[in-house]
Amino acid sequence: MEIDTQVLFKKMEEELNLARETSDETERKIHLGALKVLAEVLLTDKTGKKAAVPEDKIWEKMTGTRPPQIQKEKSEKMNFDDGANGESLFDF
């Protein structure tokens, strides 16, 4: 059974509006939980697996900028006079 995405979007809008309008924290969490489930339905492909959404794309949509690039530090092996130069504490 194919679910129309527009129906899901409409239901998501309803749940979001209900979450905004309530002053009860428990009720707000219930509506936000329903919103999360509906979003997961949209993100699930036809085989039942979650569709992979690159985190860079999500960051860009949320902030309008490219995500910061994290540089990996190169680690060099430490050489000791006694010949112990392993990466583990158990390397002798």
Side-chain angles (χ1 to χ4, degrees), residues 3-74:
I3 300 174
D4 185 21
T5 56
Q6 294 306 316
V7 172
L8 287 173
F9 285 135
K10 182 71 176 166
K11 186 63 180 167
M12 289 171 75
E13 288 174 0
E14 290 173 11
E15 291 294 336
L16 182 59
N17 288 332
L18 290 170
R20 282 183 184 149
E21 293 170 0
T22 187
S23 59
D24 183 28
E25 189 65 27
T26 304
E27 192 173 334
R28 179 177 293 126
K29 287 182 179 183
I30 290 170
H31 291 297
L32 291 174
L35 184 63
K36 179 182 175 185
V37 169
L38 291 167
E40 287 176 352
V41 169
L42 286 172
L43 290 172
T44 304
D45 63 11
K46 292 178 183 177
T47 63
K49 296 180 183 176
K50 278 194 173 182
V53 179
E55 290 182 17
D56 292 351
K57 296 284 185 193
I58 295 171
W59 178 276
E60 197 169 334
K61 282 282 189 189
M62 289 173 58
T63 63
T65 61
R66 307 236 349 117
Q69 298 298 320
I70 300 172
Q71 295 180 357
K72 294 181 180 177
E73 294 182 22
K74 290 185 177 181

